[in-house]
């Protein structure tokens, strides 16, 4: 199984179905032989951009990230949120998606 660390932009493009995400990337994401990860930096970057009003979200970053991870079309064994509920608040997480 290949492990892939998603860039913040790629994660946002994926969950918002942005056209900037290539068809190759979309196909790769649906491949069950890939294991995808988000780093703490992704949650931090999303929170900073949101607080500076440079990123519009329908809900606060913590809820946005949790809800989008839960909605991803990957099989459940490939993703989970590790750590405490405060992980997203403190940006101390490594999330396999």
């Amino acid at each position: 199984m290949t492990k892939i660390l998603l860039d913040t932009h790629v994660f946002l493009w994926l969950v918002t179905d942005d056209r900037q995400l290539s068809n190759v990337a979309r196909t790769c994401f649906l491949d069950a032989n890939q294991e995808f990860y988000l780093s703490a930096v992704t949650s931090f970057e999303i929170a900073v951009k949101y607080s500076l009003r440079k990123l519009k979200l329908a809900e606060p970053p913590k809820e946005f990230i949790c809800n989008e991870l839960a909605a991803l079309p990957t099989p459940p064994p490939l993703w989970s949120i590790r750590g405490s509920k405060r992980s997203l608040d403190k940006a101390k997480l490594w999330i396999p998606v």
Side-chain angles (χ1 to χ4, degrees):
M1 184 165 297
T2 304
K3 296 180 180 183
I4 299 172
L5 178 63
L6 296 177
D7 174 78
T8 302
H9 286 92
V10 173
F11 173 70
L12 289 171
W13 294 341
L14 178 68
V15 300
T16 61
D17 198 30
D18 194 295
R19 293 181 333 163
Q20 294 182 74
L21 187 64
S22 71
N23 288 333
V24 172
R26 288 178 204 279
T27 302
C28 179
F29 183 75
L30 295 173
D31 183 349
N33 292 317
Q34 311 291 347
E35 190 170 329
F36 295 88
Y37 290 84
L38 291 178
S39 75
V41 174
T42 296
S43 60
F44 177 75
E45 287 178 346
I46 290 172
V48 168
K49 293 290 186 185
Y50 178 81
S51 70
L52 294 173
R53 300 176 196 241
K54 293 185 176 188
L55 177 63
K56 294 180 183 181
L57 301 174
E59 55 199 340
K62 179 180 178 180
E63 287 78 16
F64 172 79
I65 294 169
C66 289
N67 290 336
E68 293 302 329
L69 288 175
L72 290 175
T74 57
L78 293 181
W79 63 269
S80 65
I81 298 175
R82 294 182 181 170
S84 70
K85 291 182 181 178
R86 294 179 164 221
S87 293
L88 288 172
D89 293 331
K90 295 182 178 180
K92 292 182 178 176
L93 68 147
W94 182 260
I95 308 173
V97 289

